[in-house]
Amino acid sequence: MQLHPACRVRQEGFGLLFYDSRGPRLLFVETGDLLTPEFFSGDEPVDNRLARIAPASRARVLGLLAKLSEKGYLREQQIC
């Protein structure tokens, strides 16, 4: 998964701020330091990125990814 081309993410004190220029819409996500904007670069498979997250936090991250995808902030892609 990677950010939709119309979306941006940046680090804030509370966590991540997502901006969708198609709306425009803002989404504030209280992640603390659990995730960084680079997590959403799409440079590697999600499973690889999840493997670097503590097991206790993976369910929370998976839920976040599902919500972001549902709201159109993320899109799936194949990695060759």
Side-chain angles (χ1 to χ4, degrees), residues 11-67:
Q11 191 77 44
E12 295 288 337
F14 58 84
L16 299 174
L17 171 64
F18 290 86
Y19 175 79
D20 184 345
S21 63
R22 296 170 291 181
R25 296 182 303 169
L26 292 175
L27 180 65
F28 299 87
V29 183
E30 292 186 55
T31 59
D33 61 357
L34 179 62
L35 296 175
T36 65
E38 292 74 31
F39 184 90
F40 301 95
S41 67
D43 294 339
E44 65 179 307
V46 173
D47 289 343
N48 291 1
R49 289 180 264 164
L50 287 173
R52 293 191 295 271
I53 295 174
S57 299
R58 286 187 195 143
R60 181 175 173 210
V61 171
L62 286 170
L64 171 61
L65 294 176
K67 288 287 184 186

